[in-house]
Amino acid sequence: MLLPLSAQVATGAVSKRGRPVTYTGILSERSRGNGQIELYAAWDTFVGKFRGENVVAPPLDSKELDKTYRIGLSTYQSHKAGEFYIELVKIVAGIETEETTTD
């Protein structure tokens, strides 16, 4: 896999300069113990970006997250090219609880 991988969230937010914002969070990994690797990022690590550059954007809080219309994964942060394989089992968004960590 090309790491680091990042998650992207689009909510329709615009920067202070009127640019469309994509919130990006670099994913960390942890083993699930069943041969799977979980990729995750805390909401407070996401940064507002426009075309890969940081911008001043509204905070990615619960109000902003309610407006989410697109999510994605990006290999841009790895600065590498190459083949890789991801089997997406599920996407979970919310506050981490015991249920989400033992699922």
Side-chain angles (χ1 to χ4, degrees), residues 33-53:
N34 58 0
Q36 295 178 346
I37 295 174
E38 179 178 26
L39 300 174
Y40 67 96
W43 291 121
D44 62 359
T45 66
F46 280 72
V47 176
K49 293 184 179 274
F50 172 72
R51 296 187 179 168
E53 299 294 322

Side-chain angles (χ1 to χ4, degrees), residues 25-75:
I26 297 176
L27 297 171
S28 298
E29 64 178 276
R30 60 183 164 215
S31 174
R32 300 272 303 181
N34 58 0
Q36 295 178 346
I37 295 174
E38 179 178 26
L39 300 174
Y40 67 96
W43 291 121
D44 62 359
T45 66
F46 280 72
V47 176
K49 293 184 179 274
F50 172 72
R51 296 187 179 168
E53 299 294 322
N54 289 1
V55 294
V56 177
L60 187 58
D61 55 18
S62 60
K63 183 177 173 184
E64 196 63 39
L65 283 166
D66 281 345
K67 302 174 192 172
T68 299
Y69 69 90
R70 184 179 66 225
I71 57 173
L73 297 174
S74 172
T75 61

